[in-house]
Amino acid sequence: MQQKIIILDFGSQTTQLIGRRVRELDTFCEILPYNKFPKDDPSVIGVILSGSPYSVHDPEAFKVDLSQFIGRIPVLGICYGAQFISHTLGGKVEKADSREYGRAHLETINLYNPLFKGFDRGSQVWMSHGDTITAIPEGFEVIGSTKDVKNAAFWNQKDIWAVQFHPEVYHTLQGALLLKNFVVDICGSKQDWSAASFVDTTVKELKEQIGNDRVILGLSGGVDSSVAAVLLNKAIGKNLTCIFVDHGMLRKNEFTQVMKDYQGLGLNVIGVDASEKFFNDLAGVSAPEQKRKIIGRDFVEVFNAEAKKITDAKWLAQGTIYPDRIESLNITGKVIKSHHNVGGLPKEMNLQLCEPLKWLFKDEVRRVGRQLGMPEHLITRHPFPGPGLAVRILGDITPEKVRILQDADDIYVRGLREYVDTDGETLYNKVWQAGAVLLSTVRSVGVMGDERTYEHPVALRAVTSTDAMTADWAHLPYDFLAKVSNEIINKVRGVNRVCYDISSKPPATIEWE
């Protein structure tokens, strides 16, 4: 039986991060809405209560019946989770004199408590709350305090721990150790969740689920769909048919290169060049959301037309990963963010859905890809938007504008792959996502030779991130930016100026549209 930790989500922005940290401990976990605890699941070895945007005193605050698990399995409350435990069990939670936010240090700490095994005195933690626990429930003991927060951590011997700081964030320097102490030592995880075990288990489950049925999978060239395809191919072989649609707005030579990669992996892939249809339907359209809708509609039409030729197919496979599903539903069950892989199937396809990666985070997908022996350049590919370069061209889309951006983007991305930084790592591997943006609605004056030019600027974008929820602009070396800028202006017809985007997310987004 697969052990697991249940993370009850009370709406915190860092709930996903808790899940990632638990998975890094080779332990399976599942993030569920606060009110969906699986009462009769013997595989659950521990519960973590997340933070929340609410105060425990808010009328709309999320509440859970603690008796479902207290006294049965270990419990860890984080921030709101800690305050909810205190408030529910007889402690006192009050408005703090000032919002407790940012770095703090555990000046008092019980190093004999199993939660803090191996901790350093004065260890840095990260606070983020407006309420504070002014009295802990009877029978509990304080095991950690900061200068301003007396009840920063507390516990009782019924296996309940609570911390008012966030161990899941990087600013809590020993947060990973705290979670390891809880998950491994206190909950007793066997740490048997790994890429190898996932591949073995999933291949077996896919064989049982699909049998001799035929499966269709839509490939995008990205990491998720590629790993899903290789995993399915390992399970069902020739019964998998992949369809790769070229809408004309991929990166330079990407369609040809990716098709070659897929064939090298032994995949049965049908390549469809539908660029003419997409360009015709996008003619004169400049509104970002309208461009996305047209591309999404056309993709479904092209994919469905090709899929219908495979008359005996019974399954549609997708590269949906865990964050897609978490982000698409909030804890009340309402859609808050749509993903192309999350939303069901077109009714006319009459196919069952297969999502072999639905429990994995992005870094886990890459580990599975390596376990499957996939080439590194496919595994480390940066995220790329489904609409492709259409959302990196401001204004309407034409083949000529796509050509300009493909050429500029190719110089930039090749440069990132070739530039080895002082630590021996390529710039491409050090950034989360990078690409060029064509400001086709803008023309700038330039001088080339003795002539005045009036052409388009290109903006370069590169960000660092762990999960794309937040992102910081990458501090690329000046000599690299100078070289790339010079090469783009000299070699790409239609560009006479190059800028570098130094906006972080938030308030900006990673993509420009």
Side-chain angles (χ1 to χ4, degrees), residues 313-330:
K314 295 184 179 179
W315 297 84
L316 176 70
Q318 295 186 153
T320 312
I321 65 175
Y322 200 30
D324 296 340
R325 298 193 298 133
I326 296 170
E327 290 176 3
S328 294
L329 292 174
N330 69 6

Side-chain angles (χ1 to χ4, degrees), residues 216 243 270 272 302-313:
I216 301 171
I243 299 173
I270 298 170
V272 184
V302 173
F303 182 86
N304 286 358
E306 201 63 40
K308 285 177 182 176
K309 297 176 185 178
I310 308 169
T311 56
D312 58 343

Side-chain angles (χ1 to χ4, degrees), residues 450-489:
D450 293 324
E451 295 184 359
R452 179 179 183 273
T453 62
Y454 195 53
E455 296 178 333
H456 299 297
V458 161
L460 305 181
R461 181 76 159 137
V463 297
T464 57
S465 182
T466 57
D467 50 21
M469 303 290 282
T470 61
D472 194 12
W473 62 278
H475 295 231
L476 299 181
Y478 288 153
D479 63 324
F480 167 78
L481 290 171
K483 181 177 181 297
V484 167
S485 172
N486 188 57
E487 190 173 352
I488 289 173
I489 291 171

